[in-house]
Amino acid sequence: MTSPGPAELPRFDPTMPSHARVVDRFAGGKDNFAPDRELARLALEIAPEIPLLFQEARKFADRAARFLVEAGVRQFIDVGCGMPTPDSLHHVLRPVAPDAKVAYVDHDPVVVAHGRACVDIDGPVRFVQADARDPDRMLDHPDLTRIIDLDAPVAILLQSLLADFADDDLATAMVRRIVERLPSGHGYLLITHAICDIRPEATAALARLYAERGMVDGHRERARSWKEVEHFMDGLRPVPPGVVPLPDWRPDPGEPTIDTSAFWVVGGIGRKP
């Protein structure tokens, strides 16, 4: 099954906020415009802890990448990758897996243009403009298949991506098709997602704000629940400890701990049997 994609990929529009550029603003970057900065300001008024969430998401991604390398993965597809940064996946992988290949996928033309300007066009890193709503077209894109072999060990990363799609049926169909394309036994799916269970009022307000500003495909009254996020892993074998608050996923020995009772982003990795 191929989920229907948009008629065409979006074009650059500096008058509208972009998810990638808003995240860049949260991270203190400079690749953002006035609408992105305004949306980031409003979001921080609702949830001042957002920068901490992103810091912990970065740490989780680093630990997850190291785990995947130890599991034998040398191919990574980072879907909804956002703006390139010094902490981007291929930089994290270089010390532990210099032979790793990374395909970054984003539908935002600014992300892809910035990314392509930062990497060697003949190297093991590619930036691909594609839409996750059409998993087959995305995974069969020639820029991706030039370096990624989906019959070999591979990890597909959906970091915060599914929250951008309000329709549960669409999000589930996307994940199911992506899982179908993973190789059995050595295909991995990583998911992170904001949840409504911990701070329902703040996450509901953020959901409304993002929908009003066109940052979400569709509209929903609240973020998904922890249990709903876990269902995206159906059919996969969860890597212990499963889908948990990001700081609780295999923290490094001696790493400073934080109280996760109020932490409202969860994540985990599943392996296709």
Side-chain angles (χ1 to χ4, degrees), residues 170-217:
L170 172 61
T172 299
M174 287 164 48
V175 173
R176 293 292 162 264
R177 184 54 183 156
I178 286 172
V179 170
E180 287 174 359
R181 295 291 304 270
L182 286 171
S184 295
H186 45 249
Y188 294 83
L189 180 69
L190 179 151
I191 290 175
T192 66
H193 203 301
I195 57 171
C196 65
D197 310 64
I198 309 301
R199 289 200 61 199
E201 293 182 0
T203 51
L206 287 170
R208 290 192 296 271
L209 173 65
Y210 275 54
E212 290 167 359
R213 299 302 176 98
M215 293 277 287
V216 178
D217 181 12

Side-chain angles (χ1 to χ4, degrees), residues 107-125:
H107 78 299
D108 188 327
V110 176
V111 169
V112 175
H114 275 249
R116 287 175 175 169
C118 295
V119 299
D120 180 353
I121 60 173
D122 296 319
V125 179

